[in-house]
Amino acid sequence: MRGLVMQLFIMRHGEAQHQAESDMQRELTEYGISEVSDMARLLKEEQFDLVIVSPFVRAVQTADILIKQLSLTTPIIECELITPAGSAEQVHDYIDGLLAEKEYKKILLVSHMPVICYLLAELTIGGHMPIFQTGGVATVDYRPTEMKGDFVEMLCPFNICDL
């Protein structure tokens, strides 16, 4: 019998500027803001228990737009582990640690390529590793007792993606 299932939504930030003083300071473009707004409309029925976001400006802006448009009053954790060069294994351990402390039904994680591709593979049975479009969201039905889950779907800003 499979254990309790919760949902993880793993999102890539919207399109960002190509140039800034540092990679960490790159902001969303107008197109990126539009992508995130479109995703908010697709996710309008979701009520997240927790939002985990990279400290990079483009990820914080993405999370802020979603939180505002979804009218969330959800706790937000800024996490250094989910930056572009982060370790999927460390992020997996971090998520499992959070789930050991408290039961969550839905967690939104806003991060970057390539760590989110590796993280999706790390979290799922079968090791799914699609390339995330900017603003794209992958959903995983995750079983904390097994520390693995099932890849459910990939949503993209202007359409539903088929993998």
Side-chain angles (χ1 to χ4, degrees):
M1 182 171 132
R2 293 189 169 203
L4 176 69
V5 175
M6 56 86 55
Q7 289 188 304
L8 288 169
F9 293 76
I10 302 169
M11 181 175 194
R12 182 180 180 191
H13 59 79
E15 180 187 80
Q17 302 168 326
H18 294 292
Q19 299 293 321
E21 284 192 34
S22 72
D23 186 38
M24 186 175 194
Q25 295 174 326
R26 292 173 48 218
E27 295 185 14
L28 294 179
T29 64
E30 288 300 317
Y31 182 76
I33 292 168
S34 175
E35 288 178 317
V36 177
S37 293
D38 287 339
M39 287 310 298
R41 284 190 287 282
L42 286 174
L43 297 171
K44 68 182 178 214
E45 302 302 319
E46 304 300 341
Q47 289 299 312
F48 300 104
D49 305 281
L50 178 66
V51 176
I52 304 170
V53 63
S54 159
F56 283 35
V57 170
R58 59 194 179 272
V60 171
Q61 289 175 321
T62 296
D64 287 346
I65 292 167
L66 287 170
I67 289 165
K68 181 178 179 186
Q69 290 187 11
L70 297 175
S71 301
L72 297 176
T73 57
T74 304
I76 302 162
I77 297 174
E78 197 170 276
C79 180
E80 295 280 337
L81 296 174
I82 59 173
T83 59
S87 160
E89 293 84 8
Q90 287 181 334
V91 177
H92 188 178
D93 289 345
Y94 177 77
I95 290 168
D96 285 337
L98 289 173
L99 295 173
E101 293 176 11
K102 183 176 176 182
E103 184 177 311
Y104 293 97
K105 293 179 183 158
K106 294 183 182 186
I107 294 176
L108 172 66
L109 185 142
V110 182
S111 188
H112 313 266
M113 291 282 285
V115 70
I116 55 176
C117 288
Y118 298 124
L119 178 60
L120 189 58
E122 174 76 19
L123 293 171
T124 57
I125 296 165
H128 294 275
M129 197 186 307
I131 301 297
F132 282 70
Q133 176 180 329
T134 53
V137 177
T139 306
V140 176
D141 283 346
Y142 191 74
R143 290 176 297 285
T145 55
E146 296 175 31
M147 297 181 191
K148 284 288 182 184
D150 298 309
F151 174 76
V152 176
E153 67 182 342
M154 175 71 79
L155 297 173
C156 298
F158 296 103
N159 58 10
I160 304 299
C161 293
D162 295 318
L163 296 183

